[in-house]
Amino acid sequence: MADSYLGVRLDVLRRSQNPDGGWSYYTGKRSWLEPTFYGALVLHGDPAADRAWSLIKSWQQPDGSWPPTAGAAISGWGAALCLTMAQIRGEIDGTFLKGLAYLLKTAGTESEIWRRALAKFGLVDPGRNLSLKGWPWKQGTSSWVEPTAHTLIALKKAYTALPAPEVAERIRSGQALLLDVRCKDGGWNYGSAWTLGEDQRSYPETTALALLGLQGRAEAAGSVDLAKGWLQETPSSLARAWITIALRLHGIGVPNTNSPLKGSGSPDLMVVALEALGAPEGNYRLLKTEAAG
Amino acid sequence: MKISRRDFIPLAGAGLMAGYAGWEGLRSRRNAPSGPSPVAVIKATSYSEDLAQRMLRGVRECGLDVRGLNVLLKPNLVEFDPNTSINTDVSVVAAAYEVFKSLGAADVMIGEGPGHRRDTYSLVEMARYREISKFDDLFVDLNRDDVSAVEKFADRAEMYFPNTALRADLVVSLAKMKTHHWAGATLSMKNFFGLVPGSVYGWPKNELHHIGIPESIVELNRIFRRSFGIVDGIVGMEGNGPIQGTPKPAGVLVMGSDLPAVDATCCRIMGINPAKIEYLRMASDGNLGNVEESRIEQRGEKISEVRTNFALIDSFRGLRLT
């Protein structure tokens, strides 16, 4: 096990956990929410994961959001990750409810009423349906594919425990937004499919993330084929890891890999965690969601 | 008195991020250069030439002294497409490393926080940056570095920046000479967008678009004022830049300590009127640097000898320098 694809990565993660229980993106740095979430997901059930969750759970801000790292006064997308983790751990408590309320009240600024009015009267051409609501990286900015996909995972899990109409509506709208901004090539860019009259090309990592948000949706099928092709072609370890996770969650077989750790070429601990998560015996199933909304 | 970014006080207990001590004082003493700003234009027609020698000549023409300084080289690494010229070429980055080491810098690091792609190491691999000797020891992913808050950024109360950039005594903007479909041109000043951490603000760094692109460019250059600009115009990009444009050989390296002056000179080389680039106008009005030709002391090649008009998208036709 220790020498296996997964074992090598688990060993790296265990050795690189910070004394406070979190993980940094790179060894020797401060703990950040995002790599800590993935480290905890990979090691779910292990005391190391409990310490990681205790740390980031304590970071919740008064508005229900989470900062990207301790003390940064930013209401960021990490709330989606923390809500997902709370549900995986079965902690439907005050922290969870505050976080859920935050996500339900947060939307990309492009869907504000005055922007929709400008588009309706033809004064601007946003190239997308502004009535659909996604989620931003940071409160007060526009919605993007990645934070929207992460929030859809959190809300779909929440809907199972708390089937409220407002949760269902945000899931419906968020999924519709992802489908609305899909690029002509069948994948996803970071945001819009179209800018200044030019079609944008899609990227493997954002396509994989959108597929995670669209689990259970038949419309995702064509994009799954595109992602399968990218798995062989992309030079990005991060993109390969996300595609592997997305394909497995869509029930697509992914060839086992025996590539050594150094083969990934990245010292980024989050990439290491995602590779471990997507291993055949990895914890990718924890991100599984049912169709909802 | 010399105030270094090292003066900022990192974490002070309880995981709280410290502000950038003395920041307001630093801002207030940053006035425009009292005299004309030297900007060197050095011919370089190919990436296989001895770029270090040419760059060294330009840096000396500008009178830059880096002895004992901790230098951060900040290339423009955005996206990779083998069919065009998006990024600062690896040979320019390698030459800059050699030049600043040879000039006696105490330490020279390379740092970038790509604005679009999440996988920084995949980008540095594709752009061949890892061919630079000991690159992994020199490189800092500015998107995922530890951060500290700096008070006041445009209308924001604070903004977070990578500690590596805040601690540097000199940030060298190793930019690419490109047109830009929102800003008109992206050069040494706009290149500082890569100093904003994606781990805090996301990919892309949408916060800057909400603040305003020209406003953000100017604010970044106020904060990272101890800087030097070197623009890779050996092969730039014209048309729908900064990513989807087409390669445009201009055959020059343009450099200087006054970044607005460097960018204004680049604009003139590209056939763009710098007075019509909003962030340059704001930089000039805000005493951040010299933009008027009469306030720039041109060294090396004359602009008229290297000018080559970059194609402009329709909405920017009015920027053309007559």
Side-chain angles (χ1 to χ4, degrees):
Chain A
M1 173 69 177
D3 294 333
S4 69
Y5 177 88
L6 177 60
V8 168
R9 283 155 180 78
L10 290 178
D11 186 49
V12 170
L13 290 173
R14 287 185 199 285
R15 283 190 284 108
S16 58
Q17 188 171 23
N18 284 336
D20 65 6
W23 276 272
S24 51
Y25 289 102
Y26 300 108
T27 306
K29 302 276 187 179
R30 181 188 306 168
S31 295
W32 286 76
L33 186 146
E34 193 182 28
T36 299
F37 166 76
Y38 290 112
L41 207 56
V42 168
L43 293 168
H44 180 61
D46 186 296
D50 298 340
R51 290 197 293 124
W53 172 238
S54 292
L55 177 74
I56 54 176
K57 189 177 182 182
S58 72
W59 291 352
Q60 190 178 36
Q61 301 180 123
D63 67 355
S65 72
W66 271 264
T69 187
I74 298 281
S75 297
W77 83 98
L81 305 183
C82 289
L83 238 66
T84 294
M85 182 57 75
Q87 293 173 94
I88 287 168
R89 297 175 62 90
E91 295 181 21
I92 310 300
D93 55 12
T95 300
F96 167 81
L97 293 173
K98 267 177 73 178
L100 179 61
Y102 169 78
L103 287 177
L104 291 176
K105 76 179 180 197
T106 299
T109 54
E110 77 281 358
S111 60
E112 289 169 348
I113 191 163
W114 67 272
R115 293 181 199 268
R116 298 208 307 268
L118 287 177
K120 185 173 182 180
F121 292 111
L123 297 172
V124 294
D125 180 6
R128 60 197 277 191
N129 181 350
L130 297 186
S131 68
L132 302 172
K133 290 184 177 179
W135 286 267
W137 289 103
K138 172 184 173 290
Q139 201 171 45
T141 57
S142 311
S143 63
W144 297 90
V145 166
E146 185 164 346
T148 297
H150 287 307
T151 310
L152 283 171
I153 293 170
L155 291 191
K156 285 181 181 178
K157 284 183 179 291
Y159 189 75
T160 309
L162 200 72
E166 54 267 48
V167 177
E169 171 52 24
R170 288 304 302 271
I171 293 170
R172 184 205 63 76
S173 187
Q175 290 186 136
L177 181 144
L178 287 183
L179 292 167
D180 187 52
V181 299
R182 181 159 48 177
C183 297
K184 274 190 174 169
D185 63 14
W188 280 266
N189 191 279
Y190 280 73
S192 297
W194 178 91
T195 305
L196 290 177
E198 295 265 351
D199 289 322
Q200 300 296 302
R201 67 184 170 116
S202 57
Y203 296 122
E205 61 272 26
T206 34
T207 297
L209 284 158
L211 287 173
L212 286 177
L214 290 171
Q215 289 177 65
R217 294 293 299 237
E219 301 97 316
S223 304
V224 168
D225 289 338
L226 182 72
K228 279 163 70 178
W230 267 330
L231 188 60
Q232 308 302 325
E233 294 167 14
T234 179
S236 163
S237 340
L238 177 78
R240 274 198 307 275
W242 272 126
I243 292 171
T244 301
I245 293 166
L247 291 179
R248 290 196 197 283
L249 289 172
H250 277 265
I252 308 293
V254 177
N256 289 348
T257 175
N258 294 310
S259 65
L261 180 69
K262 283 181 182 172
S264 75
S266 177
D268 185 340
L269 293 170
M270 191 178 113
V271 173
V272 174
L274 290 173
E275 287 175 340
L277 200 62
E281 64 277 44
N283 276 342
Y284 64 89
R285 294 173 191 83
L286 296 173
L287 294 177
K288 180 79 179 166
T289 60
E290 303 301 324
Chain B
M1 185 181 79
K2 182 179 171 185
I3 295 179
S4 162
R5 287 191 198 92
R6 287 175 176 281
D7 293 344
F8 89 98
I9 304 166
L11 301 185
L16 290 173
M17 294 194 176
Y20 185 6
W23 167 239
E24 280 303 325
L26 191 63
R27 282 164 78 103
S28 63
R29 77 188 67 187
R30 289 190 161 175
N31 297 320
S34 52
S37 302
V39 172
V41 178
I42 308 294
K43 267 190 182 168
T45 55
S46 156
Y47 290 110
S48 56
E49 292 177 7
D50 185 351
L51 297 182
Q53 199 57 37
R54 283 165 172 72
M55 201 179 284
L56 185 61
R57 187 183 135 215
V59 171
R60 284 186 172 143
E61 294 262 21
C62 296
L64 182 69
D65 181 3
V66 299
R67 284 173 297 175
L69 299 185
N70 292 296
V71 173
L72 176 66
L73 304 178
K74 160 59 181 83
N76 187 223
L77 183 61
V78 187
E79 168 65 274
F80 184 77
D81 181 344
N83 299 312
T84 189
S85 53
I86 299 170
N87 307 308
T88 309
D89 194 87
V90 60
S91 57
V92 173
V93 183
Y97 180 77
E98 189 182 329
V99 165
F100 284 92
K101 285 299 278 184
S102 73
L103 287 172
D107 192 27
V108 182
M109 299 289 289
I110 302 167
E112 168 65 315
H116 282 208
R117 305 302 295 270
R118 280 279 246 156
D119 193 341
T120 303
Y121 275 85
S122 172
L123 270 184
V124 301
E125 187 78 44
M126 286 189 285
R128 296 173 33 230
Y129 281 16
R130 272 180 149 165
E131 292 175 11
I132 296 171
S133 177
K134 297 181 181 172
F135 178 82
D136 284 356
D137 295 335
L138 304 174
F139 183 72
V140 177
D141 177 356
L142 299 179
N143 275 335
R144 296 171 179 84
D145 194 19
D146 288 344
V147 296
S148 294
V150 167
E151 286 177 16
K152 194 152 169 52
F153 185 94
D155 62 349
R156 304 301 197 257
E158 61 186 11
M159 194 86 178
Y160 293 88
F161 291 103
N163 287 348
T164 299
L166 290 171
R167 286 182 182 136
D169 298 315
L170 184 78
V171 180
V172 179
S173 179
L174 289 177
K176 192 79 171 169
M177 187 179 282
K178 295 188 287 189
T179 50
H180 190 284
H181 58 207
W182 299 116
T186 172
L187 300 156
S188 68
M189 293 178 72
K190 168 75 171 59
N191 186 33
F192 281 175
F193 267 37
L195 298 175
V196 175
S199 55
V200 176
Y201 297 103
W203 288 260
K205 296 155 186 183
N206 192 221
E207 178 81 341
L208 301 177
H209 298 117
H210 280 262
I211 291 168
I213 291 175
E215 291 82 358
S216 295
I217 293 171
V218 169
E219 283 297 274
L220 285 165
N221 280 270
R222 281 192 195 285
I223 290 168
F224 296 99
R225 186 69 183 277
R226 250 187 315 283
S227 53
F228 190 81
I230 300 177
V231 180
D232 168 11
I234 298 171
V235 180
M237 177 183 279
E238 64 180 1
N240 188 18
I243 293 172
Q244 292 173 299
T246 52
K248 171 71 173 176
V252 288
L253 291 168
V254 184
M255 61 196 83
S257 293
D258 178 346
L259 270 55
V262 169
D263 288 4
T265 299
C266 288
C267 283
R268 293 183 177 101
I269 291 169
M270 299 162 79
I272 293 172
N273 184 349
K276 292 186 176 177
I277 298 290
E278 193 175 352
Y279 66 84
L280 286 177
R281 201 165 54 230
M282 289 169 67
S284 178
D285 292 348
N287 288 330
L288 195 61
N290 289 320
V291 172
E292 290 176 27
E293 203 163 2
S294 61
R295 302 276 300 164
I296 298 172
E297 196 175 292
Q298 221 69 63
R299 297 178 184 177
E301 305 298 327
K302 288 180 182 169
I303 290 173
S304 58
E305 288 173 3
V306 293
R307 177 174 167 176
T308 176
N309 285 358
F310 278 45
L312 302 171
I313 56 173
D314 287 347
S315 55
F316 282 134
R317 289 266 160 82
L319 298 181
R320 180 65 74 212
L321 187 65
T322 52

